[in-house]
């Protein structure tokens, strides 16, 4: 299906020069962008260059120190962490308007409270981490645009010269909001579009309205044109599941006609996959799991005792808790709180070190790691 490109930087797979850098909790693992159009490859490369522009000498040195310490830890099986994270996922809110079947946020299954990130707490995060962090994904759980001051978060990060990204179901983007998004300086906007008909779309995006997504996408393209802006880099993300796999090829043509910069087809994380799942695609190419001879399914790839995420980045919840990665959706492995302790102390704490060591010793034994995409093909 079209053109695939992989390039390597500091040992992880990337598209173009720095595309998503392979370290972000956006999706993790080997990052492969599937683009059928040459123009999409060019736009993806432009986005990669934009990331690179946010890397200062200090941030680059920190990146190198982190990678070296990770290689050393991976080879010796002993935690040798050095440096500070250069990527973050910051959660604007846990609230969501949809009810997607494999999402604890949409299904309201969290044991932790629902809330939204306070602007002062957010500034505290930036003050402590902006020296080394140059990429923030403003998404963990929930729908970011339900935060009434979401774009204020983006503007604050841009003042610290940080590349910003977020993911949305695009139900709250009017024509005026699209202009405000462009004006905020947001660098990348991932739009979840998991079907090309309402009947297909709502089988996964329960309570969702496909026409709202398409309308918002048009508003965003028009807003970029009106402002003569290259950002945000617009990505259609198509989560491949059985009900929509027949529409995968068509999404590339739809994106091209609308002026969307890039398309990514993402394999779906399924919680109960061992004996198959109603959402599992028939074409194994689009699945994160493979069928064994005995008829059961296992995660593809090499889930070895390593994880670059434990060295490269961290996840901050809306109320300031620090958790290991985006697979700890219900924040069951809290390593500290920025409201109580400086992040630098948390990052170098015995508790964080013990978690990294546990990953190096037996990652499969950690509950949130059992279905993790590290070492697995995420993009179809």
């Amino acid at each position: 299906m079209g053109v695939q490109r992989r390039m390597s930087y500091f040992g992880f797979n990337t598209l173009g020069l720095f595309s998503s850098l392979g370290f972000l909790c956006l999706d993790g693992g080997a990052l492969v962008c599937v683009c059928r159009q040459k123009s999409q490859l060019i736009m993806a490369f432009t986005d990669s260059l934009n990331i690179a522009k946010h890397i200062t000498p200090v941030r680059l040195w920190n990146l190198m120190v982190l990678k070296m310490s990770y290689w050393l830890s991976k080879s010796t099986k002993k935690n040798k962490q050095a440096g500070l994270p250069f990527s973050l996922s910051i959660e604007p809110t846990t609230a969501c308007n949809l009810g997607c079947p494999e999402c604890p946020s949409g299904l309201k299954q969290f044991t932790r409270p629902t809330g939204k990130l306070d602007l002062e707490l957010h500034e505290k995060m930036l003050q402590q981490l902006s020296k080394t962090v140059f990429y923030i994904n403003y998404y963990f759980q929930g729908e970011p645009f339900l935060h009434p001051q979401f774009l204020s978060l983006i503007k604050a990060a841009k003042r610290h010269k940080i590349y910003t990204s977020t993911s949305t179901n695009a139900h709250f983007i009017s024509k005026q909001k699209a202009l405000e998004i462009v004006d905020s300086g947001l660098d990348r906007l991932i739009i979840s579009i998991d079907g090309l008909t309402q009947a297909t779309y709502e089988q996964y995006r329960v309570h969702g309205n496909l026409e709202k997504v398409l309308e918002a996408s048009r508003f965003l393209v028009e807003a970029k044109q009106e402002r003569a802006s290259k950002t945000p880099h617009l990505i259609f993300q198509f989560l491949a599941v059985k009900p929509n796999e027949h529409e995968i090829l068509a999404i590339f043509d739809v994106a091209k006609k609308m002026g969307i910069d890039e398309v990514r087809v993402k394999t779906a994380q399924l919680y109960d996959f061992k004996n198959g799942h109603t959402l599992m695609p028939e074409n194994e190419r689009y699945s994160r799991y493979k069928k064994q001879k005995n008829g059961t399914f296992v995660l593809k790839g090499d889930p070895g005792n390593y994880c670059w995420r434990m060295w490269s980045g961290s996840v901050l919840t809306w109320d300031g808790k620090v958790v290991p990665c985006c697979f700890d959706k219900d924040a069951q492995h809290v390593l500290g709180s920025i409201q109580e302790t400086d992040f630098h102390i948390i990052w170098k704490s015995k508790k964080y070190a013990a978690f990294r060591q546990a990953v190096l010793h037996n990652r499969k034994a950690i509950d949130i790691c059992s279905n993790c995409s590290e070492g697995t093909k995420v993009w179809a």
Side-chain angles (χ1 to χ4, degrees):
M1 182 216 299
V3 182
Q4 293 190 5
R5 294 288 186 272
R6 294 192 187 196
M7 296 183 71
S8 181
Y9 180 79
F10 285 113
F12 39 78
N13 290 323
T14 61
L15 172 75
L17 181 61
F18 280 98
S19 180
S20 295
L21 296 166
F23 54 78
L24 298 176
C25 223
L26 285 166
D27 305 290
L31 182 59
V32 181
C33 175
V34 183
C35 300
R36 293 213 316 171
Q37 310 295 338
K38 183 179 179 180
S39 61
Q40 290 189 17
L41 286 173
I42 294 172
M43 293 305 298
F45 184 70
T46 301
D47 182 47
S48 300
L49 290 177
N50 186 24
I51 297 174
K53 290 176 183 178
H54 293 78
I55 304 177
T56 65
V58 171
R59 289 170 173 174
L60 179 59
W61 175 253
N62 177 71
L63 172 60
M64 294 173 68
V65 169
L66 276 174
K67 196 63 185 182
M68 295 280 282
S69 69
Y70 171 66
W71 280 338
L72 185 59
S73 300
K74 186 178 177 181
S75 60
T76 64
K77 296 302 177 183
K78 292 183 180 180
N79 176 42
K80 305 287 185 182
Q81 193 280 328
L84 291 165
F86 60 91
S87 70
L88 291 175
S89 285
I90 296 180
E91 180 179 65
T93 179
T94 44
C96 189
N97 55 307
L98 301 186
C100 305
E102 294 295 299
C103 177
S105 177
L107 295 176
K108 313 299 185 288
Q109 293 178 338
F110 285 136
T111 61
R112 62 189 177 102
T114 296
K116 66 179 187 297
L117 178 60
D118 177 77
L119 295 187
E120 289 186 8
L121 177 58
H122 176 247
E123 186 58 35
K124 187 176 183 179
M125 294 173 178
L126 295 178
Q127 291 285 352
Q128 292 185 20
L129 286 157
S130 61
K131 186 176 180 179
T132 62
V133 168
F134 57 85
Y135 192 125
I136 296 179
N137 174 34
Y138 281 92
Y139 175 78
F140 177 29
Q141 301 301 307
E143 166 52 44
F145 285 94
L146 282 174
H147 191 304
Q149 298 166 300
F150 175 66
L151 294 180
S152 294
L153 304 178
I154 301 301
K155 292 175 183 177
K158 296 311 297 179
R159 287 194 293 271
H160 287 267
K161 303 185 186 308
I162 296 172
Y163 180 99
T164 57
S165 174
T166 194
S167 180
T168 180
N169 60 44
H171 278 59
F172 303 99
I173 301 177
S174 63
K175 189 169 187 176
Q176 179 58 36
K177 179 63 71 173
L179 288 168
E180 292 172 5
I181 290 170
V182 174
D183 292 341
S184 73
L186 179 68
D187 294 288
R188 177 186 292 176
L189 182 57
I190 299 170
I191 302 166
S192 295
I193 180 167
D194 307 323
L196 294 179
T197 65
Q198 178 62 27
T200 301
Y201 175 79
E202 66 185 1
Q203 288 194 58
Y204 189 81
R205 299 290 168 183
V206 179
H207 310 312
N209 185 324
L210 177 61
E211 184 50 41
K212 282 188 176 182
V213 180
L214 295 172
E215 182 181 57
S217 301
R218 288 190 288 268
F219 287 153
L220 287 161
V221 171
E222 291 169 2
K224 286 178 64 177
Q225 292 171 345
E226 182 173 334
R227 293 293 197 256
S229 176
K230 292 182 180 180
T231 58
H233 180 72
L234 300 176
I235 298 175
F236 267 176
Q237 181 172 279
F238 197 94
L239 188 68
V241 288
K242 187 174 182 178
N244 68 18
E245 63 180 312
H246 64 287
E247 295 177 348
I248 289 175
L249 292 177
I251 188 63
F252 291 89
D253 294 326
V254 172
K256 182 184 179 182
K257 290 176 182 177
M258 293 184 67
I260 299 300
D261 299 315
E262 188 179 342
V263 176
R264 295 180 179 179
V265 178
K266 183 182 179 183
T267 59
Q269 178 193 9
L270 304 173
Y271 286 98
D272 186 15
F273 61 84
K274 184 177 180 180
N275 296 307
H277 195 288
T278 55
L279 290 174
M280 192 176 291
E282 292 184 2
N283 187 339
E284 197 171 281
R285 174 179 186 174
Y286 302 130
S287 177
R288 197 172 294 192
Y289 310 92
K290 62 181 179 181
K291 193 173 186 178
Q292 301 184 104
K293 291 181 179 180
N294 63 6
T296 62
F297 291 83
V298 294
L299 194 66
K300 291 178 180 177
D302 175 27
N305 295 324
Y306 57 87
C307 184
W308 172 223
R309 303 181 197 193
M310 293 302 98
W311 276 256
S312 64
S314 195
V315 176
L316 308 180
T317 65
W318 69 268
D319 52 354
K321 292 183 176 65
V322 179
V323 297
C325 79
C326 57
F327 281 87
D328 191 7
K329 302 179 190 299
D330 201 20
Q332 296 297 301
H333 297 269
V334 177
L335 301 169
S337 172
I338 284 186
Q339 297 207 60
E340 301 168 359
T341 310
D342 187 277
F343 181 86
H344 298 71
I345 296 174
I346 298 171
W347 181 253
K348 297 180 182 297
S349 67
K350 291 182 179 179
K351 193 171 185 180
Y352 222 132
F355 194 92
R356 293 190 189 98
Q357 188 59 53
V359 169
L360 293 169
H361 176 67
N362 186 6
R363 185 159 71 99
K364 288 183 179 179
I366 304 172
D367 55 350
I368 62 171
C369 302
S370 61
N371 197 12
C372 171
S373 59
E374 180 76 13
T376 302
K377 185 178 180 182
V378 174
W379 304 97

